[in-house]
Amino acid sequence: EVQLVESGGDLIQPGGSLRLSCAASEFTVSRDYMTWVRQAPGKGLEWVSVLYSGRTYYADSVKGRFTISRDNSENTFYLQMNSLRAEDSAVYYCGRHQYGVGIDCWGQGTLVTVSS
Amino acid sequence: DIQMTQSPSTLSASVGDRVTITCRASQSISSWLAWYRQKPGKAPKLLISKASSLESGVPSTFSGSGSGTEFTLTISSLQPDDFATYYCQQYNNYPWTFGQGTKVEIK
């Protein structure tokens, strides 16, 4: 079964760093667009970042602070989050975006809370 | 950045009703639009890709249409499982962007 399993969410102080992980099963992360989407409590979906074929793109709200990457040997991709702010608090979902289709596989979500 | 605007924000309907949600893009996105359904506490689920292609396993009561800047998601006969929040997403340009969501609630 095609599946994504996330980990790494936590309570972190403002200004801190955190790395989220997303492990894939039954498909290869290096062959698809791998993406992160977040959802603040009670709010809508916000696209965060995508990685494909070595190219990375980010939402303006996280550019310069967040970095998306992958480890092909682990079939896992990551979101490194630095200089965290209260407004980064959200459930973070990882996803596989198939070209021309959309995000057809989602992780279960991991909660990041930025608070002192 | 491309802004996606959904209307209405909330929609009250009954089982069996036909409902339509509109998504407008601030500039042309061709047909690079997806629709998702999200239930509370759950990850979104892809319903429609490329504006009008029904994903495998999605009931035929769902349909999508449109191109350019105006798109619609129609549910021809609302089922109990359909009371949820719906989002459109453009993937024509980076940054990809979502609409603000439309909550379909029970009348």
Side-chain angles (χ1 to χ4, degrees):
Chain A
E1 179 189 359
V2 171
Q3 192 175 5
L4 291 167
V5 177
E6 304 177 37
S7 59
D10 206 348
L11 170 64
I12 189 83
Q13 291 191 337
S17 297
L18 199 61
R19 189 179 81 159
L20 305 182
S21 301
C22 183
S25 302
E26 302 301 323
F27 74 96
T28 304
V29 298
S30 61
R31 296 180 184 171
D32 283 300
Y33 291 75
M34 306 310 301
T35 191
W36 291 93
V37 173
R38 69 184 181 183
Q39 187 169 37
K43 303 297 184 183
L45 301 173
E46 180 187 14
W47 178 78
V48 173
S49 180
V50 69
L51 167 63
Y52 177 70
S53 191
R55 292 174 291 178
T56 60
Y57 299 90
Y58 300 93
D60 290 345
S61 58
V62 306
K63 201 175 295 182
R65 300 186 299 122
F66 289 13
T67 302
I68 190 171
S69 63
R70 69 172 182 243
D71 183 332
N72 293 340
S73 66
E74 296 290 329
N75 206 29
T76 297
F77 68 108
Y78 306 95
L79 186 67
Q80 177 67 42
M81 304 184 293
N82 298 332
S83 303
L84 283 161
R85 307 166 179 166
E87 54 266 34
D88 295 318
S89 296
V91 172
Y92 284 73
Y93 295 102
C94 63
R96 177 184 75 173
H97 175 103
Q98 291 217 62
Y99 179 77
V101 171
I103 305 171
D104 69 334
C105 180
W106 295 73
Q108 80 281 9
T110 189
L111 178 63
V112 174
T113 303
V114 184
S115 175
S116 54
Chain B
D1 298 1
I2 297 176
Q3 308 301 316
M4 306 300 292
T5 304
Q6 288 181 232
S7 60
S9 295
T10 306
L11 188 160
S12 296
S14 302
V15 172
D17 284 354
R18 179 184 181 90
V19 302
T20 298
I21 298 168
T22 297
C23 179
R24 289 187 173 88
S26 59
Q27 65 188 74
S28 178
I29 58 169
S30 184
S31 295
W32 301 118
L33 182 104
W35 288 98
Y36 303 88
R37 178 177 69 187
Q38 186 182 35
K39 297 181 182 179
K42 300 295 186 182
K45 173 185 168 65
L46 179 64
L47 302 173
I48 302 278
S49 63
K50 286 176 284 187
S52 59
S53 296
L54 193 67
E55 288 299 292
S56 175
V58 176
S60 58
T61 52
F62 287 89
S63 63
S65 65
S67 65
T69 62
E70 187 147 342
F71 303 85
T72 58
L73 173 70
T74 299
I75 310 172
S76 61
S77 178
L78 203 62
Q79 300 304 302
D81 199 39
D82 300 335
F83 291 97
T85 302
Y86 293 82
Y87 294 93
C88 62
Q89 181 213 1
Q90 69 82 18
Y91 48 97
N92 183 67
N93 281 8
Y94 296 111
W96 294 344
T97 44
F98 287 91
Q100 80 279 14
T102 296
K103 184 176 181 180
V104 177
E105 58 183 27
I106 301 172
K107 183 185 285 185

